[in-house]
Amino acid sequence: MLIADGSQALAADIDRHALDGDDLMNSLTLESYLTYLNDEVKPDFVLGRMSTFQDGSGVFKEDTFNPSDNIVKGLSGQEAFVMIRKNQKRVRMGVHGINSKKFIIDNNLWFDETLVYSEDAEWSVKAYLAAKSIRINNKPYYLARLNREGSCTSSLNLRKAQNVIEIYVKWVNFSKNRLNDSRFNKSLQSEAGKRYFYMIRKFDLALTST
């Protein structure tokens, strides 16, 4: 996972944008975040939107996950999580966005180095829990590569399946904290359950096709 500095204007604020080793960014990505980062109330992090492309192809498909910035503006991370899931029926996890370095350090928001897969999804929930404010950048400028030969995301094995299930168990444990917004706890449990059964089904299909 690479961390990209912004333009000079962004670098002055010491914000960072993560980029997976398989993926690309549109040349306009960092510039597109300036409006949010220069706002009177600077958000702890800004969610980005992605497009996908098949390895070797130059055709980009915009992600259908596209919540509006209006539904999260002025909300905490937990409140925003609830609204996004209510609006989209799911929450896109990952690091397709830009984060304040101070926010990361103050809240000890680092990737879990014991995870071999989906470490950014595990990180996302911790970020939602900690954030006092977030925004959404709807420009689909994060370019996620699909089906690259040898890529960690291109195949499924028992270790990866176990890894992801462990993350969902963590989410359920996060949701037991009574200090959290009760609506967030319920939404997170629902998201974890949905993803858990999807992963079990996906792994079952992978086994039966071999």
Side-chain angles (χ1 to χ4, degrees):
M1 188 71 69
L2 303 175
I3 306 297
D5 288 342
S7 62
Q8 291 183 352
L10 296 184
D13 290 328
I14 325 180
D15 293 291
R16 296 294 184 266
H17 193 299
L19 179 68
D20 191 276
D22 273 347
D23 301 337
L24 305 171
M25 282 197 298
N26 185 296
S27 61
L28 299 175
T29 300
L30 298 174
E31 182 181 345
S32 72
Y33 284 94
L34 282 174
T35 299
Y36 308 95
L37 298 178
N38 289 333
D39 201 0
E40 184 177 350
V41 178
K42 182 179 177 181
D44 289 322
F45 71 95
V46 183
L47 302 177
R49 185 175 172 221
M50 70 178 183
S51 295
T52 58
F53 68 102
Q54 297 292 326
D55 187 44
S57 167
V59 179
F60 300 98
K61 182 180 179 180
E62 295 184 7
D63 191 7
T64 58
F65 181 78
N66 188 25
S68 168
D69 180 57
N70 291 331
I71 69 172
V72 303
K73 189 175 181 180
L75 300 182
S76 69
Q78 294 186 43
E79 292 168 332
F81 186 97
V82 173
M83 290 302 298
I84 291 171
R85 196 167 196 284
K86 181 179 179 181
N87 180 266
Q88 298 284 298
K89 311 302 180 189
R90 58 187 172 130
V91 178
R92 174 73 75 196
M93 302 296 184
V95 290
H96 316 126
I98 206 162
N99 313 282
S100 159
K101 183 179 179 182
K102 184 177 186 302
F103 170 64
I104 294 172
I105 293 174
D106 288 352
N107 292 284
N108 198 29
L109 295 174
W110 312 109
F111 288 146
D112 184 339
E113 295 183 2
T114 67
L115 300 175
V116 297
Y117 185 63
S118 289
E119 71 282 356
D120 55 343
E122 191 267 350
W123 178 92
S124 294
V125 168
K126 294 187 291 188
Y128 275 110
L129 278 163
K132 293 181 174 62
S133 63
I134 75 169
R135 299 291 299 276
I136 295 175
N137 180 357
N138 292 103
K139 300 292 186 184
Y141 286 165
Y142 187 98
L143 309 177
R145 187 191 311 267
L146 304 178
N147 298 320
R148 181 181 68 80
E149 185 177 354
S151 170
C152 181
T153 60
S154 296
S155 61
L156 184 65
N157 58 44
L158 180 59
R159 187 182 181 194
K160 283 197 278 188
Q162 290 174 328
N163 197 153
V164 173
I165 290 171
E166 288 171 5
I167 290 172
Y168 300 156
V169 171
K170 274 190 176 183
W171 290 358
V172 172
N173 290 333
F174 287 151
S175 72
K176 293 179 180 178
N177 188 335
R178 293 184 179 180
L179 297 179
N180 296 342
D181 184 313
S182 61
R183 298 169 302 166
F184 172 82
N185 288 343
K186 184 177 179 180
S187 293
L188 182 57
Q189 289 172 6
S190 181
E191 183 72 20
K194 181 178 180 180
R195 287 168 172 259
Y196 174 84
F197 286 110
Y198 172 79
M199 175 54 64
I200 293 296
R201 177 59 176 161
K202 185 177 179 181
F203 186 61
D204 180 59
L205 290 173
L207 287 178
T208 56
S209 64
T210 56

